[in-house]
Amino acid sequence: MDHIAFRTGVIRPIECYKEGWEMIKDQFWLVFAIVLVGMIIGSLVPIIILGPMMCGIYLCLLDRYEGRDVSFDKLFKGFDHFLPSLALTIIIMAPVVVMVVLVYVPLIVMAMAGPNMNESELLGFLAGVIIFELIVAVIMVCFHTLLLFSFPLIADKQVSAWRSVTLSSKAVWANLSGVAGLFGVGMVVAIIGYLMLCIGLYLVIPMIFAANVVAYRKIFPGSTERFGAPPPPNYYQGL
């Protein structure tokens, strides 16, 4: 198994967004089309096709990061990673399905038992359901945050689904403050896009993807460094 090292302390959220915009602005509409089409096709059969489409999007953006022109055809090269991306999608979706079931079961119980509950019991049960749903939401956000780099790892490093999960989790944990800042800036960007008559939300999604790719490449360097010579070996944390 090839050794894959990652860097720590290299994510500067605002700089990632600035660099991401500089990376895609010359081919923005093509990148926008790739991301939009990839997400639409991926949503048609979510579990089966979503993984390859995500890998294809990241392949296109990694090309752009390395200074190569984006090609729409590259989107469908994600199918070269069909099995590992499918397995990763299942790993991601399985807990979501379980959590959704766990959230709706109390609501069904409440609906069935509602007529037999007095007002205080009903309010107490409803409060418990809301608290439970908040806990579930926090767990899912944490889970998906740890998997932030899983799809680009499959596309870029050709690793298995499970190894992409472990590598991404370790890298995110080692760069937790930077990743948290990246999510924070992403939320602000998404809100600004939403306020632009909602249409702007679609326009900022490519920039969010681009910023994530910049962050990914800063943590997981390619075969050639984009900015000068590679840092000294002690700059890396190996796995």
Side-chain angles (χ1 to χ4, degrees):
M1 183 180 292
D2 293 336
H3 177 76
I4 298 177
F6 63 81
R7 300 171 179 172
T8 60
V10 291
I11 298 182
R12 304 290 182 269
I14 294 178
E15 293 302 316
C16 285
Y17 271 86
K18 288 181 178 179
E19 188 176 335
W21 171 245
E22 289 296 321
M23 181 178 81
I24 66 173
K25 68 178 185 180
D26 291 340
Q27 291 190 289
F28 176 79
W29 291 111
L30 178 55
V31 172
F32 172 77
I34 288 170
V35 172
L36 183 63
V37 171
M39 293 179 68
I40 291 173
I41 294 176
S43 66
L44 295 177
V45 189
I47 294 179
I48 306 299
I49 302 180
L50 179 61
M53 288 294 97
M54 291 295 291
C55 286
I57 290 170
Y58 281 114
L59 284 170
C60 292
L61 289 172
L62 285 167
D63 272 356
R64 192 62 191 146
Y65 182 91
E66 300 297 337
R68 295 185 288 272
D69 287 338
V70 175
S71 168
F72 196 91
D73 294 342
K74 195 67 173 279
L75 172 64
F76 300 97
K77 297 296 277 184
F79 283 99
D80 293 347
H81 310 284
F82 179 78
L83 288 179
S85 65
L86 172 61
L88 176 59
T89 304
I90 293 172
I91 291 172
I92 292 172
M93 294 300 295
V96 174
V97 173
V98 172
M99 291 298 181
V100 168
V101 171
L102 290 177
V103 166
Y104 276 96
V105 165
L107 295 177
I108 294 173
V109 171
M110 184 176 67
M112 294 175 63
N116 300 320
M117 290 182 176
N118 57 43
E119 185 176 349
S120 61
E121 289 175 334
L122 190 59
L123 289 175
F125 190 85
L126 183 60
V129 170
I130 293 173
I131 292 172
F132 177 75
E133 289 183 355
L134 289 174
I135 293 173
V136 168
V138 170
I139 292 173
M140 294 311 301
V141 168
C142 293
F143 175 66
H144 288 130
T145 299
L146 290 174
L147 303 186
L148 176 63
F149 302 124
S150 293
F151 280 116
L153 276 166
I154 289 176
D156 181 42
K157 306 293 187 182
Q158 292 83 51
V159 298
S160 67
W162 184 247
R163 194 166 185 225
S164 76
V165 169
T166 57
L167 278 169
S168 177
S169 298
K170 290 178 181 179
V172 168
W173 189 257
N175 293 274
L176 194 56
S177 61
V179 171
L182 192 69
F183 268 86
V185 175
M187 288 182 63
V188 172
V189 170
I191 290 171
I192 292 173
Y194 183 79
L195 293 175
M196 296 167 58
L197 302 178
C198 301
I199 299 174
L201 180 61
Y202 296 98
L203 297 177
V204 300
I205 288 176
M207 191 162 63
I208 294 173
F209 268 96
N212 289 344
V213 166
V214 171
Y216 166 79
R217 187 52 90 205
K218 288 182 180 299
I219 293 175
F220 293 97
S223 56
T224 58
E225 285 289 320
R226 191 180 179 202
F227 302 109
N234 60 7
Y235 192 63
Y236 295 89
Q237 176 175 332
L239 297 180

